[in-house]
Amino acid sequence: MSSFGEEIRRLEESFFVGRKMELIIFRNFVYNKENKERILNISGTGGIGKSSLLDQFRRICDQEGIPFFLLDCLDFTKTPQGFALRLLAMLNTQVPEEWSESKLLEEAVSQLNKRAQTGRLVFAIDTYEEMNELDDWLRHSFLVELSINILIVLSGRFPLKGGWVLSPAWRRFIKFMPLSPFDYETCKQYTSIFGDYNDSFVRKSYFITKGHPLTLSLFMGLNELEGLKGEQEPEFLMWNETFKEIAGQWLREITDSTLMELLEAVTMVRVFNHEILENILGKEISNEEFENLIHLSFVRKSERGWYLHQVLRKALYQDFRLKKPNIYNQLWQRSVKYHYGLFSSRHHSIEERNLFLLDFIYIVGDPGFRAMFYDDAIDQTYYIETVNKDNLQEAEQYFKDVLSNHQDYIQEMYDPVTNERHIYNIPKAVNEKWFTSIKLSEVILLGSEVVRLLKNEKHEAVGIFVYIPIHRGSLQFLQQNPITQSYFRTLSKQERDKLIVPPESPAGWFQYLIDFSKDGSSAARFMFFQTYLSYYLKGGIMVYTAPMKYNQEAVKGVGYVEIPGTTHFGFGLQFPAPVFVLDFREDKEMKKFVENLYQSTEDNYEASSLDAILSGLTPREREIALLTRTCSSNLEIAKKLYLSEITVKKNLSRIYEKLDLKGKTELVKKLMS
């Protein structure tokens, strides 16, 4: 008699089709000890089936008794510490919370190597495109310490690039596995899972979906919803934008209003579970309703919960916000409150706290900040490369290229949530100061990852950023540089002494320069955003200065505080630049930061709601209307505004008429609602 687990495994395997060659390659990768390749790199567009293939690899290893460990990049912060903590948790290894980053990494490597002493072991990372700035670190600091018995599987949207392929030694260890859409026979095999379809329908499904697995899954789901069973040719089969149109049609055909409501709610968050959905929707959700949601083909399980496939989430989110703005705002507000509660009321580890912080920032980010950095740039093809003495010349050439541009840098950007237009403008004179006030050959000596290049798929440098670590070895530079000195010269001796720390454990970072003038695409900005967040989560202080209002508002939108008395003229006399600081050296400071962010969402939400109600009033009428919430009489309002009581009374009459209200009671009720 088979066990329940064996039956589940059999059913899971029955839904996996195709990929015969990939399975052969994996078996050879695992079993052939003469094989020189130690890294298997799965790559392919969103929805091509990478995660499903990893699941099948796991099942193969389980059957053969080969340990298989899988990390999903959604489940940890993109810092060495976050990576190590998640890996140790997966290995069921408890460690003291006070352990340093180096100690955590040492233990993680030791635990993996110990498990590989008796035979081969597979260690896989999914959604590898989100590793970003950890890519260099993984290659140089982590993988080099692992046993040769440990086989690595890296799965992401894009093939490994940069140092992986530029180094002949690393390239020799890699087996590339790009995934293609299903062929006709695989498409036929997949449709047979859903029922007995004729050849005509299979040909149509293959032609329309182009063999793309996620599109094919939605196509078959839509066919089931409509009850066509291949007997007629629906109009949507002629549409060109295959995935977008089929996804849209699939959503429109859902008759289960509860399922649609749940789908809309999960677009508000990156990761969800039963509890999160009940809090966002403000009502109880049955186990059956939740099961119907998580069993959809485009919903996947992670260590932290479940998540929608990125491609579908973005399409559904935009459609939901456009068509149901009032419901969207209600769910957004509940989502903000729930995530604020998670961060502020529960006891959790540093890594859990950081993950909650990331989730919170994604939800409440300031419009300018989102427009500059946060975009679902799922088709990015960039990578980050740390600058050292070997590639210093390339970074110096980037500086020369920027300085050769004799015009201001101007770019239009749009908030991905509101579509509000923002103009990003850096005067030429400001850029010249940024790029001439430091020497790259000097600043790269201040830390291991001070200067980093953003490169495209052609290995061309299209962006650069400089984060100067704050420690005892960099303080002299920071106190003398014309752009950085203002903040450090205003510190008291006690505050300055806190910064005299070892270089390997910086007290924080001075965010000196971020430049993407060679490529201002949302995908390039998104890469910078991901790296930027990793510095947030390391703790310490973040210091930033710029003379442009846009940049100032962007950093204030995510919690930076302007430091009085630090405005300087390092960019020129016509460009006064205040200094902004985000202080995460103590946990209470991070909680204060979250509190400020939360308060700003409350104010913004209330203001936008009141704007909608009072949009037809004059400024004076608006003032009077708002005071009715806190003033008990017309006389009290009159005294606050230095008006006569009769003037207040006349204005209120016009307000009631414009808003179609009977009196003050109805006005107050409307405003308080």
Side-chain angles (χ1 to χ4, degrees):
M1 179 182 295
S2 63
S3 67
F4 184 72
E6 289 170 335
E7 185 65 15
I8 290 292
R9 185 164 54 245
R10 185 189 66 77
L11 288 171
E12 286 177 335
E13 289 181 353
S14 71
F15 279 92
F16 182 85
V17 299
R19 308 300 184 201
K20 292 181 180 178
M21 182 55 67
E22 286 83 358
L23 296 179
I24 291 172
I25 291 172
F26 179 72
R27 287 189 170 95
N28 182 62
F29 177 70
V30 173
Y31 302 141
N32 185 359
K33 294 187 177 181
E34 302 301 318
N35 194 349
K36 300 295 183 184
E37 293 154 341
R38 291 292 183 273
I39 301 172
L40 182 61
N41 178 215
I42 305 170
S43 62
T45 187
I48 203 68
K50 300 181 293 295
S51 296
S52 296
L53 184 60
L54 282 177
D55 291 341
Q56 187 67 4
F57 286 172
R58 183 202 291 273
R59 286 189 283 269
I60 290 172
C61 288
D62 287 347
Q63 291 168 6
E64 300 297 327
I66 298 172
F68 185 99
F69 298 102
L70 173 63
L71 254 65
D72 192 313
C73 285
L74 284 173
D75 294 331
F76 58 89
T77 56
K78 307 311 175 293
T79 63
Q81 182 176 5
F83 178 90
L85 284 169
R86 178 71 202 109
L87 177 54
L88 287 166
M90 188 176 63
L91 296 171
N92 296 316
T93 302
Q94 293 185 340
V95 294
E97 190 169 326
E98 65 273 12
W99 270 17
S100 65
E101 179 182 290
S102 58
K103 182 66 174 175
L104 290 169
L105 291 172
E106 181 184 336
E107 182 66 16
V109 168
S110 173
Q111 290 293 331
L112 268 182
N113 287 341
K114 188 182 299 183
R115 286 164 171 76
Q117 287 177 353
T118 57
R120 294 206 153 182
L121 174 153
V122 177
F123 175 54
I125 303 177
D126 199 8
T127 56
Y128 189 77
E129 68 274 8
E130 293 195 13
M131 285 287 277
N132 296 332
E133 73 283 357
L134 281 189
D135 180 68
D136 263 359
W137 170 84
L138 187 82
R139 186 170 62 254
H140 293 140
S141 302
F142 183 74
L143 295 184
V144 292
E145 302 294 332
L146 296 185
S147 163
I148 201 70
N149 277 340
I150 298 176
L151 303 173
I152 308 299
V153 179
L154 305 177
S155 175
R157 293 182 184 277
F158 313 105
L160 293 174
K161 43 193 175 284
W164 297 101
V165 295
L166 295 177
S167 163
W170 278 106
R171 192 166 61 242
R172 182 185 176 198
F173 280 113
I174 302 170
K175 174 66 178 178
F176 291 95
M177 183 184 282
L179 298 188
S180 302
F182 288 160
D183 57 21
Y184 175 78
E185 287 302 319
T186 304
C187 187
K188 184 177 182 179
Q189 184 182 356
Y190 183 80
T191 57
S192 69
I193 295 172
F194 294 83
D196 186 17
Y197 290 92
N198 58 41
D199 289 341
S200 174
F201 178 82
V202 176
R203 282 194 299 273
K204 289 173 184 174
S205 66
Y206 177 62
F207 174 75
I208 294 300
T209 66
K210 301 176 179 64
H212 183 266
L214 180 58
T215 310
L216 182 61
S217 170
L218 286 172
F219 179 89
M220 294 307 299
L222 177 57
N223 187 72
E224 292 290 306
L225 285 171
E226 295 189 339
L228 299 175
K229 294 296 181 184
E231 295 172 2
Q232 55 180 302
E233 183 175 329
E235 183 181 349
F236 70 83
L237 288 176
M238 304 306 295
W239 291 342
N240 294 323
E241 292 181 77
T242 310
F243 176 80
K244 183 178 179 182
E245 296 294 352
I246 289 179
Q249 182 73 4
W250 185 89
L251 292 169
R252 285 191 291 273
E253 291 295 332
I254 293 179
T255 57
D256 186 337
S257 59
T258 300
L259 180 59
M260 191 68 226
E261 186 180 35
L262 294 181
L263 277 170
E264 290 171 343
V266 299
T267 65
M268 309 299 296
V269 293
R270 299 173 70 208
V271 181
F272 69 90
N273 56 36
H274 202 146
E275 177 187 316
I276 289 175
L277 287 186
E278 288 189 330
N279 276 274
I280 292 176
L281 289 170
K283 67 176 186 179
E284 189 174 317
I285 298 167
S286 70
N287 289 334
E288 181 182 359
E289 290 166 342
F290 187 76
E291 290 291 321
N292 288 339
L293 172 67
I294 63 175
H295 284 129
L296 293 171
S297 61
F298 45 80
V299 175
R300 287 195 63 83
K301 179 77 170 69
S302 78
E303 183 64 27
R304 300 177 61 209
W306 289 263
Y307 60 93
L308 278 184
H309 194 285
Q310 266 186 305
V311 182
L312 188 65
R313 178 186 177 272
K314 185 175 182 180
L316 181 57
Y317 177 81
Q318 292 173 338
D319 185 71
F320 172 41
R321 190 178 185 280
L322 179 66
K323 293 181 178 177
K324 301 178 182 179
N326 290 331
I327 297 176
Y328 165 85
N329 281 325
Q330 290 174 8
L331 297 191
W332 176 79
Q333 189 71 3
R334 288 176 186 162
S335 178
V336 168
K337 287 183 178 180
Y338 176 77
H339 283 83
Y340 169 71
L342 279 182
F343 186 92
S344 59
S345 64
R346 296 187 181 182
H347 175 75
H348 34 250
S349 68
I350 293 176
E351 176 65 3
E352 287 175 323
R353 180 203 67 185
N354 287 346
L355 286 168
F356 289 150
L357 176 63
L358 278 179
D359 290 341
F360 192 66
I361 290 174
Y362 271 101
I363 294 170
V364 305
D366 174 82
F369 184 81
R370 286 196 302 257
M372 184 181 290
F373 292 117
Y374 176 48
D375 191 295
D376 288 327
I378 56 177
D379 296 322
Q380 50 86 7
T381 56
Y382 301 89
Y383 64 96
I384 289 171
E385 183 176 284
T386 300
V387 174
N388 51 44
K389 62 180 182 180
D390 296 326
N391 58 353
L392 175 61
Q393 187 176 359
E394 192 172 3
E396 291 176 333
Q397 183 60 49
Y398 186 98
F399 268 40
K400 292 176 183 177
D401 292 344
V402 173
L403 290 170
S404 67
N405 181 16
H406 300 297
Q407 297 178 339
D408 293 352
Y409 175 69
I410 301 175
Q411 185 184 15
E412 289 187 5
M413 291 178 286
Y414 293 85
D415 178 2
V417 174
T418 66
N419 286 323
E420 182 182 353
R421 177 170 166 265
H422 297 268
I423 302 297
Y424 182 57
N425 181 9
I426 303 180
K428 178 181 179 296
V430 171
N431 246 359
E432 286 180 345
K433 289 293 184 180
W434 250 324
F435 282 88
T436 58
S437 295
I438 60 169
K439 286 186 178 180
L440 291 177
S441 58
E442 293 178 358
V443 295
I444 63 172
L445 301 177
L446 300 176
S448 59
E449 295 180 336
V450 178
V451 183
R452 306 173 93 177
L453 289 170
L454 179 70
K455 291 191 169 183
N456 61 19
E457 56 189 353
K458 297 178 182 178
H459 310 297
E460 299 167 332
V462 295
I464 196 167
F465 61 96
V466 180
Y467 275 79
I468 301 173
I470 303 170
H471 53 70
R472 65 189 178 208
S474 65
L475 272 179
Q476 183 177 356
F477 170 87
L478 291 167
Q479 289 170 341
Q480 295 176 351
N481 181 274
I483 290 177
T484 65
Q485 64 179 359
S486 172
Y487 171 72
F488 295 95
R489 288 188 173 185
T490 61
L491 295 177
S492 66
K493 183 180 183 303
Q494 184 180 10
E495 291 171 325
R496 194 178 295 112
D497 287 346
K498 293 180 181 179
L499 306 180
I500 304 175
V501 297
E504 60 269 20
S505 303
W509 288 264
F510 194 105
Q511 182 186 323
Y512 182 85
L513 172 67
I514 289 181
D515 180 86
F516 41 78
S517 56
K518 284 191 176 184
D519 185 343
S521 67
S522 61
R525 298 197 309 272
F526 185 70
M527 286 292 287
F528 281 121
F529 172 66
Q530 292 292 310
T531 305
Y532 179 79
L533 284 179
S534 72
Y535 285 93
Y536 252 69
L537 304 176
K538 291 176 182 178
I541 58 173
M542 298 284 285
V543 187
Y544 177 73
T545 185
M548 293 82 67
K549 291 292 183 183
Y550 180 89
N551 299 63
Q552 295 169 14
E553 292 304 315
V555 296
K556 283 195 292 186
V558 288
Y560 281 71
V561 176
E562 183 176 344
I563 305 301
T566 59
T567 297
H568 62 93
F569 297 90
F571 295 101
L573 292 177
Q574 68 274 44
F575 299 110
V579 176
F580 300 87
V581 170
L582 184 66
D583 193 341
F584 280 173
R585 282 175 292 187
E586 295 184 27
D587 190 57
K588 65 179 181 180
E589 296 298 332
M590 185 174 283
K591 288 181 178 178
K592 182 179 177 182
F593 159 69
V594 172
E595 176 68 35
N596 290 338
L597 265 186
Y598 177 67
Q599 192 62 48
S600 71
T601 65
E602 290 274 274
D603 295 341
N604 290 340
Y605 183 73
E606 180 184 21
S608 63
S609 299
L610 292 173
D611 283 341
I613 296 171
L614 307 177
S615 58
L617 305 185
T618 66
R620 174 64 76 194
E621 290 169 349
R622 179 187 172 92
E623 278 185 310
I624 291 173
L626 291 175
L627 282 174
T628 60
R629 298 177 301 170
T630 55
C631 296
S632 58
S633 67
N634 292 349
L635 180 59
E636 189 177 350
I637 295 174
K639 287 180 178 179
K640 283 184 177 293
L641 297 178
Y642 301 98
L643 299 173
S644 67
E645 189 174 357
I646 190 65
T647 300
V648 171
K649 189 174 181 180
K650 287 179 179 178
N651 275 278
L652 282 172
S653 296
R654 288 194 293 270
I655 291 169
Y656 303 150
E657 184 179 350
K658 288 180 179 181
L659 299 182
D660 193 23
L661 300 172
K662 294 179 180 179
K664 188 182 293 184
T665 302
E666 285 193 4
L667 174 61
V668 173
K669 185 176 180 181
K670 190 176 185 70
L671 294 176
M672 297 300 286
S673 66

